[in-house]
Amino acid sequence: MSSEHISNDNAAGTQPAVALSEVVRHFGRFAAVREVTADFAPGRLYVVLGENGAGKSTLLRMMAGLLQPTRGTIRILGETDIRAVATRMGYMGHAPLLYDELDAMENLRYFAGLYSIHDDRVCAAAIERVGLNPELKRRVGQYSQGMRQRASLARAILHNPELLLLDEPFSNVDVKSAHEMARLLGAMRDEGKTVFVVTHQAAVMEPVADESIVMHTGRLIAREQGIPQSLLSPYARPSEVRR
Amino acid sequence: MKKTFPIFAIATLGLLSYALYQALVVAPTEVTMGNVQRIFYYHLPSAWVAFALFFVNFLASIWYLAKRTAGSDALALASAEVGVVFCTIVLLTGPIWARPVWGIWWTWDARLTSTLVLWLIYVAYLMLRRFASGGQTPVLAAALAIFGFVDVPIVYLSIRFFRTQHPQPVIGGGPGSGLDPRMWTAVLWNLAAFAAYGSLLVWTRYRMAMVERQVEEAHAQRALESNEGAEQ
Amino acid sequence: MSILGVTQRTLRKDLRLEWRSKDAINSMLFFALLVVVIFSFAFDPTAEESRHIAGGLIWVAFLFAAVVALNQTWARELRNQVLDAYRVSPAPATALFLAKALGNFLFVVVLEALMAPLFVVFYNLRSVGPVYQLLVVGALGTWALVVNGTFFAAMSIRTRSREIMLPLILFPISIPALLAMVDATTSILTGSASPAFWIRLLAIYDLVFTTVCLSLFETVLNAE
């Protein structure tokens, strides 16, 4: 379960964390992702921006192995078989991916078991890391949205993954929680992890983002260092950014 | 290659007419059952064609799960649809034959009941195909096809033990099942004709399914190329 | 990652969830009661033949109750899309299936344990054959319904008419198993024949379809 070998043994940083090659995904006649080709170096924090329906979530779900691409290949941490690197990857969807009837600790204990982790201290540490109290016996269903998203992040990071894929982690989250989560993601990047965040709230990620990726109608249309000023406003139209 | 289909279609038509002539004119009238027995020349070949097509459906489904090719899924769909049609013919001609001969429309004997269950299974298969949404239809359908096919021997075993009343195998059965040679000829001709007819239908349906798929592909491709193409 | 370990944890988690929410169990118990009462009205329990048709009545009633229970199998995993969290983890899909099938088995057995005594009372049943055989038939028969039902429920949640799809695909495939349960039960109740053939058939059915389910589940779970 050591996730410290971020492939920096021999090919120090040359092997991309995620490599996409002509990735296409259709839903019937709808082309959600169209021929995306890109390499993403490890140890960086990427913010994926774009309007609704631009294909951001679809791309992330394919990277997580939840969806098969219609065409093209996806290489995660050097593997095309995504199941093989499942232990080294964490995913957070826009739904909480937690059981409402269990408290945070019970939820994490169950999911830790799926990763062969049978140590309550690991779960407690993950919960504390996102700023929640592991002793809290309240059921997740009674959490506020901000707390629920934090608990969900704790679930995604509990096995200390080297690649984190987060889909809208800040939706309906209060500003304070959002900024704390962003800071935590920055800290994880500083530990050498690769982080992808799909979001509409570019401003929240601005202090920690290394690179922004702009998608429009299924295509990857721009990659920028940091987050350009033009994309920071909540009313920004990412499609108007061009290479 | 392009001419194979019409040639095959015409040959099938010829075969069907000749088999009809064999069944209605050449084959002698059965002594006890009379002319109604002639329905047997359609009943039996339909049954065999239906069973063969369900087997094709099973093979195509396994092939699909292994290779995920569009063609194998189209073949699975085509063979199940045409198989259900032939199975329906068996279930309809059976009672027409049984009523004057046994004096009843239906009896819960092994063969009849197995055929009915088979029909139910493959109608369920077609239902699933209709109601499943989007790209997952072929996978779900292929899985169900395997369940259905594995079920067939168990169905037969159970119903056979349940009860049996069907006329003892008319062909290759025990003593007294002797068939007039001219009847044999008619059976074989009809079997060949129905096999050809079944294949023709499957081929047609297969081609239709493939064309539908190509249309879908073309739409998707156009959406890929257009810049605004996010049409739902 | 051991399959049985994950199965056990998932099963425990499901039982705890069910215990806390009691979504399904309350409505299901009442539904089971209703089925028994309505069957008793529909098929005169005082008739002398009742014992001969009891096998059929009981199993059809169990089948209805089981279908309603099976339809709930995946509801909780779809809420909050928790299923995605399982799918991105390295845990094997077969473990999830086994846990769900075992959970459904326990659930349906509880329902049957409630319905069976009511049938005995309403129909004034007394078994001529040995009762332990009824338990064997009950266990094998319930597993036969539940193992395929759990699998087909996972398929039907991906269709447009979710709830109705499950019986449409489950019933045709289950016909031989139903025939076996009904005939075995009737021959034990009346003591008229040996149920040995039917018990063996049920065992084969269970074995065959458990294998098919386990080998195809991952494919179906990841079909998207």
Side-chain angles (χ1 to χ4, degrees), chain A residues 25 61 66-67 83 86-87 95 97-102 106 109-111 113-116 118 139, chain C residues 1 6 9-10 13 16-17 20-21 76-77 79-82 84-91 224:
Chain A
R25 173 67 203 205
R61 285 178 69 80
L66 289 169
L67 266 183
R83 295 285 300 165
T87 46
L97 277 66
L98 295 169
Y99 294 101
D100 280 347
E101 295 85 354
L102 303 181
E106 289 168 328
R109 208 178 280 138
Y110 172 66
F111 288 109
L114 301 183
Y115 290 87
S116 306
H118 306 288
R139 294 178 190 178
Chain C
M1 166 88 355
V6 177
R9 287 167 152 269
T10 306
K13 180 263 300 169
R16 175 176 293 175
L17 287 176
R20 293 214 176 145
S21 66
R76 218 188 300 280
E77 305 298 325
R79 210 180 301 150
N80 293 351
Q81 299 180 17
V82 198
D84 282 350
Y86 192 95
R87 288 180 56 207
V88 295
S89 81
E224 254 193 61

Side-chain angles (χ1 to χ4, degrees), chain B residues 91-110:
Chain B
L91 290 173
L92 291 179
T93 51
I96 298 177
W97 186 15
R99 176 69 184 156
V101 176
W102 297 339
I104 39 170
W105 290 110
W106 182 262
T107 172
W108 292 101
D109 104 303

Side-chain angles (χ1 to χ4, degrees), chain C residues 131-170:
Chain C
V131 176
Y132 80 90
Q133 288 185 339
L134 284 176
L135 296 181
V136 172
V137 172
L140 289 174
T142 306
W143 182 254
L145 293 180
V146 155
V147 71
N148 281 352
T150 306
F151 191 94
F152 293 155
M155 303 209 328
S156 63
I157 53 168
R158 288 138 189 281
T159 62
R160 268 173 284 144
S161 46
R162 294 182 177 183
E163 318 263 282
I164 193 66
M165 204 63 222
L166 175 61
L168 290 190
I169 50 186
L170 178 61

Side-chain angles (χ1 to χ4, degrees), chain A residues 129-181:
Chain A
R129 189 146 197 212
V130 298
L132 292 178
N133 177 6
E135 305 294 325
L136 189 62
K137 290 287 172 239
R138 207 195 303 173
R139 294 178 190 178
V140 170
Q142 296 157 355
Y143 276 17
S144 71
Q145 188 68 19
M147 287 169 78
R148 202 176 310 173
Q149 291 298 91
R150 287 172 189 233
S152 183
L153 181 61
R155 185 199 56 71
I157 63 172
L158 78 98
H159 54 295
N160 196 19
E162 40 193 291
L163 173 65
L164 253 182
L165 306 170
L166 312 177
D167 194 356
E168 305 279 7
F170 313 125
S171 58
N172 301 319
V173 171
D174 56 289
V175 184
K176 182 167 162 285
S177 294
H179 280 288
E180 277 172 27
M181 284 167 76

Side-chain angles (χ1 to χ4, degrees), chain B residues 12-130:
Chain B
T12 304
L13 199 65
L15 205 53
L16 275 173
S17 338
Y18 186 67
L20 183 71
Y21 166 76
Q22 281 285 338
L24 296 189
V25 181
V26 178
T29 307
E30 216 269 347
V31 189
T32 47
M33 300 190 223
N35 269 327
V36 72
Q37 176 267 344
R38 290 180 194 279
I39 206 166
F40 161 73
Y41 301 116
Y42 300 99
H43 184 71
L44 181 87
S46 303
W48 285 10
V49 171
F51 299 156
L53 287 176
F54 292 148
F55 187 56
V56 171
N57 169 266
F58 172 64
L59 296 181
S61 300
I62 289 189
W63 189 251
Y64 178 79
L65 287 182
K67 302 279 179 202
R68 306 284 167 127
T69 58
S72 51
D73 181 53
L75 183 61
L77 170 65
S79 53
E81 278 189 357
V82 179
V84 165
V85 170
F86 277 94
C87 201
T88 311
I89 294 175
V90 177
L91 290 173
L92 291 179
T93 51
I96 298 177
W97 186 15
R99 176 69 184 156
V101 176
W102 297 339
I104 39 170
W105 290 110
W106 182 262
T107 172
W108 292 101
D109 104 303
R111 248 159 278 224
L112 259 74
T113 313
S114 308
T115 311
L116 177 65
V117 174
L118 209 59
W119 186 82
L120 291 174
I121 289 174
Y122 284 93
V123 170
Y125 170 87
L126 293 179
M127 289 274 208
L128 178 72
R129 289 205 74 114
R130 172 134 306 188

Side-chain angles (χ1 to χ4, degrees), chain A residues 24-26 28-31 33-35 53 70-71 216-217 219 242, chain B residues 215-217 219-232:
Chain A
V24 173
R25 173 67 203 205
H26 298 161
R29 290 182 180 183
F30 174 63
V33 170
R34 314 176 191 200
E35 286 164 356
T70 307
R71 277 201 296 279
H216 181 60
T217 60
R219 287 182 215 285
R242 291 284 166 179
Chain B
V215 171
E216 285 292 305
E217 269 289 297
H219 276 285
Q221 194 58 38
R222 196 194 310 162
L224 264 183
E225 281 153 13
S226 76
N227 250 329
E228 286 312 310
E231 39 182 299
Q232 210 86 30

